Amino acid sequence: MSDRTFISHRMTRLLRQMLWVVLAFILVTACRADHSQVSPDASQTAPAAPVRLVQHLMGETQVPVNPQRVVTLDANYLSNALVLGIQPIGSTAWSDAIRRSGLDPVEPYLRDRAQELTIVGYGQEVNVETVLLLKPDLILGNDTHAAIYEQLAQIAPTALFTYYDGSRNWKDVLRFSASVLGKSQAAEKLLDDYEQRTQELRQKLDDRASMIQVSVITPGTNGARLMYRNSLSGGVLEDVGLSRPPAQDQEGTNAFVSFELIPHMDGDVIFVISHMDDDGLDVVNQLKNQPLWSQLAAVKQGKVYPVDAQHWYGTDIVRVNLILDDLFKYLLEEE
């Protein structure tokens, strides 16, 4: 073998060895790069949170078993969530003429519990962008939010409920809230406690409860609203076993009557619902200044009681208990 041939074979062998080294280096580097790219993602990806299926207005939705970042698009859901032990991170607020904090309607009960709450709208108005920024894992709304349901559902699992029969179905609203939040057992305990309170009041009134006609009105500038059986207060009065004046013993939530029909506002007891601010009290005074008002039996007997509109209206268990507080206070005061 010539020297030239020997050198050629040796060079070929060296080149092959160098090629294998280069290939091995490339493979190791690629593996490390692949590991560096995949490993962090794998470590950062938490196990999927357990979910369950709930039925609601828009169909079926999988919701978290233990929601941590709840947004309520109705003040009644805020109340229900709080009493069920869930602290929403955001909610719509009750809307009034000056758009106060929204927690006034049931203070101090909710104010003491609703901490670090972001307001995402007033009344039925919802700022979807604010909801998005909160990064919720569950959204609770009602039938008025059906128009923006698709937007909400892209942000987080969303469940909507239909209010029916005015405010009379607060028990169904509570049960729905609880079913979505995974707190059904706690809700039934709250309902049992409410039932015990109504029975306690009925017993303290003896057999006269059904004989007491309770009138509930909301004064306006030209008359007043008569609150019917299906209003929130009407439902509580029925649960206690109290009767209503014939003009108010009607289906529906309420009806407006003029000052000429003030006699329809009479009863053994009259509860006058109003906002406890200057404007609300001015409206009440307009009613009191009407000649027919002074002729009512309850007025003559001093059995007219002002109560706060911010808890005599609504659809949640917080407010029904505040209504019961007023009934205990004023009806038993007559004993």
Side-chain angles (χ1 to χ4, degrees):
M1 178 183 296
S2 66
D3 291 342
R4 183 176 295 178
T5 302
F6 174 79
I7 292 172
S8 176
H9 282 292
R10 188 175 182 121
M11 288 295 294
T12 300
R13 188 165 58 248
L14 287 172
L15 288 172
R16 287 176 179 172
Q17 290 175 349
M18 290 177 64
L19 181 61
W20 280 113
V21 169
V22 171
L23 288 173
F25 176 79
I26 291 173
L27 288 172
V28 169
T29 303
C31 289
R32 287 178 178 174
D34 185 64
H35 178 73
S36 67
Q37 292 173 2
V38 174
S39 188
D41 287 343
S43 64
Q44 292 173 11
T45 302
V51 296
R52 54 195 172 75
L53 199 64
V54 297
Q55 298 278 346
H56 64 106
L57 173 64
M58 307 302 289
E60 295 182 336
T61 297
Q62 288 187 334
V63 302
V65 171
N66 296 302
Q68 301 298 310
R69 298 183 62 80
V70 178
V71 169
T72 56
L73 303 184
D74 188 290
N76 298 299
Y77 291 136
L78 171 62
S79 298
N80 288 339
L82 290 170
V83 296
L84 291 169
I86 300 291
Q87 171 66 62
I89 59 171
S91 179
T92 54
W94 288 276
S95 179
D96 58 20
I98 58 176
R99 289 194 167 187
R100 289 175 287 188
S101 69
L103 300 180
D104 289 348
V106 283
E107 74 173 66
Y109 194 86
L110 281 191
R111 177 170 288 178
D112 291 345
R113 289 165 172 74
Q115 302 170 358
E116 299 181 4
L117 183 72
T118 298
I119 300 301
V120 300
Y122 290 86
Q124 301 303 328
E125 299 174 7
V126 177
N127 188 319
V128 177
E129 292 183 358
T130 303
V131 175
L132 176 63
L133 291 174
L134 288 176
K135 299 180 180 179
D137 59 5
L138 178 63
I139 301 171
L140 267 173
N142 58 44
D143 50 337
T144 64
H145 304 118
I148 59 172
Y149 173 76
E150 294 301 329
Q151 293 175 268
L152 297 171
Q154 290 179 12
I155 298 173
T158 302
L160 306 185
F161 185 71
T162 302
Y163 287 173
Y164 62 89
D165 206 15
S167 302
R168 184 67 179 86
N169 68 325
W170 68 267
K171 296 177 185 178
D172 298 316
V173 176
L174 175 62
R175 286 191 170 107
F176 173 76
S177 304
S179 69
V180 177
L181 296 170
K183 297 288 185 178
S184 293
Q185 187 173 354
E188 293 305 319
K189 175 62 168 59
L190 291 172
L191 289 169
D192 288 343
D193 292 344
Y194 166 79
E195 180 65 22
Q196 289 178 13
R197 292 195 72 199
T198 60
Q199 293 304 312
E200 178 188 356
L201 179 55
R202 183 183 299 208
Q203 291 171 5
K204 288 185 175 181
L205 291 171
D206 299 322
D207 296 330
R208 299 178 303 99
S210 62
M211 301 175 64
I212 301 174
Q213 289 191 350
V214 178
S215 171
V216 183
I217 64 172
T218 304
T221 54
N222 298 308
R225 291 197 174 276
L226 307 180
M227 306 310 295
Y228 287 171
R229 289 200 303 261
N230 294 333
S231 64
L232 185 68
S233 57
V236 176
L237 295 173
E238 183 179 329
D239 289 341
V240 174
L242 294 158
S243 64
R244 308 298 307 282
Q248 300 175 32
D249 192 18
Q250 309 287 334
E251 289 294 329
T253 57
N254 64 75
F256 188 83
V257 297
S258 66
F259 287 138
E260 286 76 15
L261 295 178
I262 281 178
H264 290 182
M265 305 175 196
D266 204 3
D268 297 313
V269 173
I270 302 176
F271 287 102
V272 180
I273 302 174
S274 72
H275 290 282
M276 300 303 186
D277 54 21
D278 291 341
D279 290 340
L281 295 177
D282 284 345
V283 172
V284 173
N285 287 332
Q286 289 181 41
L287 175 62
K288 290 181 176 180
N289 290 333
Q290 298 299 314
L292 288 174
W293 177 256
S294 61
Q295 302 303 310
L296 299 182
V299 175
K300 291 179 179 179
Q301 296 173 18
K303 295 183 178 180
V304 178
Y305 306 108
V307 289
D308 197 335
Q310 298 193 43
H311 66 256
W312 275 64
Y313 281 101
T315 315
D316 65 70
I317 193 167
V318 176
R319 299 188 186 203
V320 296
N321 276 299
L322 291 173
I323 291 174
L324 274 178
D325 288 346
D326 286 339
L327 296 180
F328 271 96
K329 175 181 179 180
Y330 294 116
L331 297 183
L332 295 181
E333 182 182 89
E334 298 301 312
E335 300 303 302

